Amino acid sequence: IDVALWLDAENFLQYSEDFLSHAVDGKQLLSIDQDGLKRLGVHDKQHQELILQLVKDLVTGQKKPSE
């Protein structure tokens, strides 16, 4: 998964620079938790919940990265 493209596709482009500066790759994205998101600069609780749900959907195969 290209994390920056994924964030852009999911309308979270504002976080891509922080994810990239911390070298978050697709594997790390799939195991991220709320504390990890906070460390990456995602402080908005709704954004945290949405990103975690989107990651969960990726893990369970409910949504493909390109959707």
Side-chain angles (χ1 to χ4, degrees), residues 13-60:
L13 186 59
Q14 68 267 36
Y15 300 119
S16 66
E17 214 173 290
D18 292 321
F19 277 62
L20 291 174
S21 70
H22 285 88
V24 176
D25 61 18
K27 185 176 179 180
Q28 292 168 320
L29 178 68
L30 296 177
S31 63
I32 202 155
D33 60 15
Q34 195 165 14
D35 288 333
L37 288 174
K38 287 178 189 175
R39 284 191 295 276
L40 291 169
V42 183
H43 299 292
D44 183 298
K45 206 153 177 66
Q46 279 188 312
H47 286 186
Q48 291 170 8
E49 291 170 4
L50 285 169
I51 292 170
L52 291 173
Q53 182 59 54
L54 290 166
V55 169
K56 181 180 175 185
D57 291 347
L58 285 175
V59 171
T60 62

Side-chain angles (χ1 to χ4, degrees), residues 1-15 29 47 50-55 57-58 62-67:
I1 298 170
D2 182 318
V3 177
L5 287 176
W6 180 80
L7 287 166
D8 185 23
E10 298 299 346
N11 298 311
F12 288 111
L13 186 59
Q14 68 267 36
Y15 300 119
L29 178 68
H47 286 186
L50 285 169
I51 292 170
L52 291 173
Q53 182 59 54
L54 290 166
V55 169
D57 291 347
L58 285 175
Q62 292 183 26
K63 187 169 182 184
K64 295 181 180 167
S66 60
E67 288 185 275

